[in-house]
Amino acid sequence: MSSHSTTYVPKNAAAKWLESRLPIIGLVHSSFVAFPVPRNLTYFWTFGAILMVMLVIQLVTGIVLAMHYTPHADHAFTSVEHIMRNVEYGWLLRYMHANGASFFFIAVYIHIFRGLFYGSYKAPREVLWILGVIILLLMMATAFMGYVLPWGQMSFWGATVITNLFSVIPLVGDTIVSFLWGGYSVGNPTLNRFFSLHYLLPFMILGVAMLHVWALHVPGNNNPTGVPIKSGKDAVPFHPYMTVKDTFSIVCFLAVYAWFVFYLPNYLGHADNYVPANPSATPAHIVPEWYFLPFYAILRAVPDALLGVILMFASIAVLAFLPWLDTSRVRSGSYRPVFKVLFWGFVVTCLMLGWLGSRPAEGIYVILSQIFTFLYFAYFLIAMPLLGLLEKPLPLPNSITEAVLGKKAASGSGMPVGAAAEPQSKG
Amino acid sequence: MKKTLIIAGAVAASLVASATFPFGSAQAAGAGVTPPKQEWSFAGPFGTYDRAQLQRGFLVFKTVCASCHGLEKVAFRNLAEPGGPEYSEAQVEAFAAEFIVDGGFDEFGDPRTRPATPADFWPSPFANPQQAASANGGKAPPDLSVMAKARTYERGFPWWITDVFTQYNENGVDYVAAFLKGYVDPPEDFDPALGNYNLYYPGHVVAMPNVLFDGGIEYPRDDQDRPVVPETVEQYAKDVTAFLMWTAEPHLESRKAMGLQVMVFLLVFAGLLYFTKKRIWARVGGETEGHAAG
């Protein structure tokens, strides 16, 4: 961001004084006002802004909830009920926070699949993509630890199952697990450290998200054609064009979110988590939150525990290597006829894994989990490297403007004045 | 593009079709029986509690359930608060005064007791979980404060999708009401030594015995001295379940009322933003999303 030369001109003495010492207004101006964005971005490109809003909602509601919550095995469940009953609008804070986690994941999954389809991970956006994978990992850790805090049955047994995964690591596994637990089983020390980390990690997400935005602003946005901005005609300034579009999209997203918060607040949760944690009674089915189900299915697909854990972590790690696994030089899936089919097959694979994660690990479900786990990895490790070599892509447009307006318009006649060149006084 | 969608759709459809089959059989193998859906006054976007029903439900709780089950998250004062049974302050004070609770220590350091006040929480029927278990055949009766949200039954495909649109949220209360009526005659091969038979309880064997009997609890009378609602197991079960929904979700009414305001605001705001956006983008010849190819 700082490498950008800014077009911002301080208008008064105070701003001039600050700008010559810390050019922060210029930074914001060049990043969120004058920043040129491709004019053909669809609504799939508004999920970055939606995610920023969700992160802020989670931070604000979370910080206030922490003021009323007691991280102790004997009091956590009761303190959550205290929030629900006796804290002013406590029910609103808690339902916003609990459903906010789910909607954070809904938005991030759409954001990721958009990146997968339009090749947003390809050069020169590899670092941007990898930062995104790191954010996803941090989100998963945060969400998992947050779900433990109410100290219900699913909190307790989910924590037991997931922390036990580390015991399969040869030699040091058991030591790591007791270190995570702070004892010899999930208990009060576990709850305490999870609370501490659940408060810390969101700020790490915020930090990496800022790097993510920085890394975005160097090459600029990808777009549905995958063809970079070539002239001012291809772009519009971020403000007001994207600000108004993002805001509209955010409000629509919040309406769906509000539908759940106010009318279906427990739909995405588990009834078992309204039963206080009981180390001597195991729930009939221990199921993670819906956003972990595909990974849970991969974990349980193979009979060997160590291999299952390796596959589960590999299923996320493989994303980080995608920029080099995909050998196609064409960025956008729109111009890759075979890729398109495989992409939708991959979406179905993820949905099927999600469904299988909610089923007990027995009979036909295990076999199906194995098939879809294979298809999941095959997409990254077989299809992506081979497809780039075998597939014949469709011809690419010469520019974004040509793609959206046709060849005639791009040649100049009858085209409205290039938006990026439009004077700011109009906005 | 169209072709791709058709292929993707066909793949998805065949996968879903092949996958729903085992799904159905897994459900049938489940031990519980799907509870019948009931009409609840608090269901849906405009749902509110029926005060008279909550008061009858409280009566059932107090007369029957409270002898074994706690309600530790509920304070007496809650019974007078808006959005609940809305008893008068005097009635609540009278309910509280029936209980003698721990009153701290006197000036000599000896423990003392006092009558409960509206600020106190509902006292548990047992001094501790061990006592509760030993008095009940080895299994402590669970606290009922959030029971209506702590139980559910599996909805299955496609209902888990349609529920999002219909706002069906009453899995817990449908189960609890069915459970309370579920003490039917057991099958011939049922071994009574295992416990009690309940049609809706997963596994059918439950420690809790049947507690509701027709005419067992006297309901308020109208001016012709007839009960306002039938004094039947069906009605008792429904009323006490509605009461337990309130104890689990005491702010349900204000939540749904605020939900309406928020939804109206967001939809109007979204509409205004949509036209603002259209107007702004008109400066560059309107929105030209996407791509011509594909």
Side-chain angles (χ1 to χ4, degrees):
Chain A
M1 281 185 272
S2 54
S3 62
H4 277 230
S5 57
T6 180
T7 53
Y8 168 70
V9 184
K11 286 193 183 74
N12 61 55
K16 213 175 273 176
W17 181 88
L18 179 66
E19 194 65 8
S20 60
R21 284 158 181 81
L22 180 72
I24 192 163
I25 307 175
L27 176 69
V28 171
H29 185 270
S30 60
S31 304
F32 300 104
V33 179
F35 185 70
V37 290
R39 58 181 297 158
N40 61 335
L41 297 186
T42 63
Y43 279 100
F44 282 113
W45 264 264
T46 60
F47 281 85
I50 288 172
L51 284 161
M52 273 294 178
V53 169
M54 290 316 294
L55 178 58
V56 170
I57 288 177
Q58 290 303 85
L59 282 168
V60 171
T61 54
I63 288 167
V64 181
L65 285 169
M67 295 174 189
H68 301 281
Y69 169 78
T70 312
H72 188 286
D74 294 340
H75 306 293
F77 189 89
T78 303
S79 75
V80 170
E81 280 305 315
H82 162 71
I83 290 168
M84 290 294 290
R85 287 152 194 277
N86 304 321
V87 174
E88 287 285 326
Y89 296 105
W91 58 268
L92 178 61
L93 289 169
R94 173 165 176 257
Y95 280 153
M96 279 178 77
H97 198 72
N99 287 285
S102 278
F103 277 80
F104 208 148
F105 274 95
I106 289 172
V108 91
Y109 285 146
I110 295 173
H111 192 64
I112 291 169
F113 278 110
R114 187 269 289 154
L116 287 174
F117 184 81
Y118 292 109
S120 300
Y121 46 84
K122 291 188 193 189
R125 296 186 181 83
E126 302 95 320
V127 172
L128 171 61
W129 175 259
I130 291 168
L131 287 167
V133 176
I134 293 169
I135 294 174
L136 176 64
L137 278 172
L138 287 171
M139 276 177 66
M140 289 176 140
T142 309
F144 161 65
M145 286 189 277
Y147 197 63
V148 175
L149 301 186
W151 212 240
Q153 273 290 68
M154 215 48 108
S155 299
F156 181 88
W157 289 98
T160 303
V161 169
I162 301 301
T163 48
N164 259 318
L165 294 179
F166 292 91
S167 69
V168 301
I169 301 171
L171 300 172
V172 292
D174 289 333
T175 316
I176 291 176
V177 174
S178 347
F179 179 73
L180 287 172
W181 286 342
Y184 298 101
S185 67
V186 173
N188 191 52
T190 325
L191 177 59
N192 268 281
R193 61 196 56 196
F194 277 22
F195 176 60
S196 174
L197 293 173
H198 183 71
Y199 208 118
L200 167 72
L201 293 188
F203 294 96
M204 291 176 66
I205 294 177
L206 187 64
V208 184
M210 284 164 124
L211 294 179
H212 191 67
V213 173
W214 187 8
L216 166 70
H217 283 195
V218 178
N221 290 89
N222 184 25
N223 69 78
T225 66
V227 178
I229 295 173
K230 289 182 177 161
S231 71
K233 248 191 254 177
D234 290 342
V236 290
F238 190 88
H239 182 73
Y241 296 96
M242 277 319 281
T243 42
V244 72
K245 191 165 176 171
D246 278 346
T247 310
F248 172 61
S249 189
I250 287 164
V251 171
C252 291
F253 188 82
L254 289 180
V256 183
Y257 170 50
W259 182 268
F260 279 80
V261 169
F262 293 103
Y263 299 126
L264 297 161
N266 295 301
Y267 176 86
L268 295 163
H270 298 288
D272 270 331
N273 230 25
Y274 280 107
V275 179
N278 181 356
S280 55
T282 320
H285 298 289
I286 302 173
V287 193
E289 288 286 83
W290 69 267
Y291 38 81
F292 291 137
L293 289 174
F295 307 102
Y296 196 54
I298 292 174
L299 169 74
R300 300 184 306 168
V302 286
D304 183 70
L306 179 58
L307 186 60
V309 172
I310 291 172
L311 283 177
M312 186 180 71
F313 283 103
S315 66
I316 298 164
V318 73
L319 286 167
F321 297 96
L322 185 57
W324 298 277
L325 289 169
D326 186 346
T327 51
S328 173
R329 292 160 76 181
V330 176
R331 215 177 261 135
S332 170
S334 304
Y335 304 97
R336 301 180 60 187
V338 185
F339 169 88
K340 254 194 275 198
V341 178
L342 293 179
F343 170 83
W344 288 109
F346 179 70
V347 172
V348 171
T349 300
C350 291
L351 293 175
M352 290 307 292
L353 282 171
W355 171 67
L356 288 163
S358 75
R359 302 288 97 204
E362 56 193 36
I364 183 84
Y365 302 125
V366 178
I367 299 159
L368 285 171
S369 298
Q370 288 169 350
I371 294 169
F372 284 104
T373 300
F374 171 78
L375 290 175
Y376 181 93
F377 284 103
Y379 177 81
F380 294 104
L381 301 175
I382 301 171
M384 286 304 105
L386 286 183
L387 202 57
L389 308 173
L390 301 175
E391 184 183 36
K392 192 177 174 299
L394 303 174
L396 291 180
N398 290 315
S399 71
I400 292 170
T401 310
E402 183 192 298
V404 295
L405 296 176
K407 275 197 172 129
K408 247 189 189 165
S411 64
S413 59
M415 185 39 214
V417 179
E422 194 181 54
Q424 280 300 299
S425 55
K426 256 190 159 181
Chain B
M1 191 68 194
K2 251 185 200 157
K3 213 170 156 190
T4 324
L5 284 177
I6 290 166
I7 296 167
V11 172
S14 61
L15 287 173
V16 169
S18 66
T20 27
F21 212 78
F23 190 87
S25 59
Q27 267 223 301
V33 175
T34 303
K37 264 182 147 185
Q38 305 252 5
E39 292 286 322
W40 297 104
S41 67
F42 47 81
F46 308 106
T48 52
Y49 291 116
D50 172 349
R51 312 277 160 239
Q53 183 173 48
L54 292 190
Q55 296 199 356
R56 293 195 304 269
F58 174 65
L59 191 65
V60 176
F61 170 79
K62 205 160 75 94
T63 330
V64 180
C65 318
S67 48
C68 296
H69 291 277
L71 198 65
E72 59 179 25
K73 308 286 189 281
V74 177
F76 291 103
R77 63 178 162 81
N78 296 144
L79 293 165
E81 282 165 6
E86 296 184 3
Y87 283 108
S88 70
E89 301 282 344
Q91 282 171 304
V92 169
E93 273 170 39
F95 292 140
E98 290 174 26
F99 292 89
I100 300 297
V101 296
D102 179 14
F105 301 96
D106 63 16
E107 67 265 44
F108 307 109
D110 295 321
R112 66 181 173 190
T113 55
R114 59 170 174 82
T117 68
D120 286 306
F121 287 85
W122 191 271
S124 282
F126 300 103
N128 50 60
Q130 288 80 358
Q131 194 192 71
S134 80
N136 287 283
K139 200 163 179 271
D143 187 89
L144 296 183
S145 308
V146 287
M147 187 52 77
K149 293 196 287 188
R151 293 291 182 273
T152 189
Y153 65 94
E154 190 164 327
R155 289 287 282 157
F157 181 82
W159 307 114
W160 66 269
I161 297 171
T162 58
D163 287 351
V164 172
F165 301 96
T166 60
Q167 293 186 0
Y168 176 72
N169 217 357
E170 285 71 41
N171 319 41
V173 276
D174 278 347
Y175 170 79
V176 172
F179 170 85
L180 290 171
K181 299 180 292 188
Y183 289 91
V184 296
D185 291 334
E188 302 241 325
D189 58 345
F190 182 75
D191 176 9
L194 294 171
N196 300 290
Y197 182 84
N198 188 299
L199 181 61
Y200 297 102
Y201 190 76
H204 300 305
V205 184
V206 62
M208 175 176 149
N210 185 21
V211 290
L212 297 177
F213 304 93
D214 286 342
I217 304 150
E218 203 168 303
Y219 268 163
R221 308 272 144 169
D222 62 14
D223 41 15
Q224 271 131 39
D225 202 35
R226 282 179 311 212
V228 285
V229 290
E231 289 168 336
T232 57
V233 170
E234 174 89 27
Q235 191 65 41
Y236 295 147
K238 201 171 173 188
D239 291 347
V240 77
T241 305
F243 173 73
L244 291 179
M245 186 65 208
W246 168 74
T247 67
E249 199 68 16
H251 299 297
L252 177 141
E253 290 189 8
S254 39
R255 166 160 62 78
K256 292 191 173 183
M258 187 193 280
L260 182 66
Q261 296 169 349
V262 170
M263 293 308 294
V264 168
F265 168 77
L266 286 175
L267 293 178
V268 170
F269 191 29
L272 293 173
L273 279 166
Y274 175 75
F275 290 108
T276 311
K277 188 208 62 163
K278 240 183 138 167
R279 192 146 172 196
I280 286 174
W281 277 81
R283 297 180 202 165
V284 288
E287 245 176 309
T288 45
E289 278 188 353
H291 44 80

